[in-house]
Amino acid sequence: MKLETQSALSTEHLTCIMFDMDNTLFDFVHAKTQACQKIVNHIGCGNALELFQYFRRPGCGFEDWNNIRDYICDIGVFSQSMYDECCHIYETEKLRAVDPYPNAVPTIRELKEMGLKIAILTDAHSTNAKKRLEKTGVSKWLDALFCADITGSSKPSHQTFLFALEALDLQPYETLFVGDSLRRDIVPSKALGMYTAYAAYGDRNNDTYKRYETASPDFILNDISEVLDLLGHGKKT
């Protein structure tokens, strides 16, 4: 899917680029599956993809360690020591495998140098978010970080977006939101009047392209660096 052929945004009113974090700045699904594989290797049985699917169950937190507990119970290898070891492996290997997309840091750095505010709005807990942003080298370019435990709500609730806008003293039309989830990022931010850029490169949902026209993002990105094109700045070599 190609970038929408629309005119560049006017920087006259745009003062902030607000990014989702996981799968928008780096491939978090890859990091989690790598961690799941390490757990399976450690316990000597099971399947990494099956374990990963436990994290995707409705009503279960995407980072909740109870997913690990349930899995090792279901395959019959639970013990408290095994559970503790698996949780440690999960956190260590997940963070180790987090790497920014090739153009993520240069793009954010250039946006910052253009005088724009850079914010992150994520459903991750602030403790985890800070570790991942430090690991990827993004944190030093940020003006603000908003996490679920800070905003008091999670996407797609409008409240989490409104909290960030109010904290930064911004109107929606002054902000471009970049995210990989049509349902959780694009639909709510667009409904509030923010510009929206759908990070198609990071969306890991199989039905993405069937749903994108319904969500109607203002722009579609195949690479994070294309944000610069929207602002009239091409990629620097």
Side-chain angles (χ1 to χ4, degrees), residues 17-32:
I17 312 296
M18 194 175 296
F19 291 93
D20 170 54
M21 184 179 69
D22 297 334
N23 298 314
T24 297
L25 302 181
F26 47 81
D27 190 341
F28 192 52
V29 169
H30 169 74
K32 285 180 66 71

Side-chain angles (χ1 to χ4, degrees), residues 17-217:
I17 312 296
M18 194 175 296
F19 291 93
D20 170 54
M21 184 179 69
D22 297 334
N23 298 314
T24 297
L25 302 181
F26 47 81
D27 190 341
F28 192 52
V29 169
H30 169 74
K32 285 180 66 71
T33 54
Q34 289 292 103
C36 290
Q37 185 62 59
K38 291 292 185 178
I39 290 174
V40 168
N41 292 347
H42 177 70
I43 62 181
C45 61
N47 180 279
L49 293 180
E50 288 179 357
L51 173 55
F52 176 70
Q53 291 305 318
Y54 271 59
F55 286 93
R56 282 189 156 172
R57 294 176 298 171
C60 299
F62 194 54
E63 289 298 283
D64 193 336
W65 288 357
N66 283 321
N67 294 303
I68 298 173
R69 179 188 293 274
D70 290 349
Y71 182 72
I72 62 177
C73 282
D74 288 348
I75 64 174
V77 297
F78 177 82
S79 69
Q80 187 61 47
S81 61
M82 178 65 78
Y83 171 65
D84 292 342
E85 291 166 7
C86 288
C87 290
H88 175 73
I89 290 169
Y90 171 74
E91 290 299 331
T92 301
E93 294 299 325
K94 179 184 63 176
L95 186 60
R96 183 195 61 78
V98 167
D99 287 310
Y101 290 124
N103 292 319
V105 175
T107 297
I108 290 173
R109 181 180 65 242
E110 186 164 346
L111 292 169
K112 184 67 176 175
E113 290 172 350
M114 290 166 57
L116 292 162
K117 291 181 179 178
I118 306 297
I120 301 291
L121 179 62
T122 175
D123 284 344
H125 191 279
S126 56
T127 300
N128 290 325
K130 289 174 183 177
K131 289 179 180 178
R132 297 204 273 272
L133 292 168
E134 285 286 342
K135 170 66 163 54
T136 55
V138 172
S139 58
K140 65 180 179 180
W141 303 107
L142 298 182
D143 292 285
L145 170 63
F146 301 102
C147 302
D149 55 309
I150 295 172
T151 65
S153 57
S154 299
K155 297 181 287 185
S157 169
H158 287 188
Q159 185 57 43
T160 191
F161 294 88
L162 291 171
F163 183 101
L165 290 170
E166 183 176 355
L168 291 170
D169 193 24
L170 292 170
Q171 295 297 318
Y173 63 82
E174 297 177 295
T175 307
L176 170 67
F177 195 90
V178 182
D180 67 284
S181 173
L182 291 167
R183 182 182 67 86
R184 296 170 58 252
D185 293 324
I186 301 305
V187 170
S189 57
K190 187 175 179 66
L192 290 171
M194 303 166 76
Y195 287 104
T196 57
Y198 165 50
Y201 58 84
D203 194 333
R204 305 295 291 271
N205 295 302
N206 294 330
D207 61 344
T208 289
Y209 297 123
K210 296 178 183 178
R211 296 183 291 114
Y212 113 87
E213 289 184 356
T214 301
S216 302

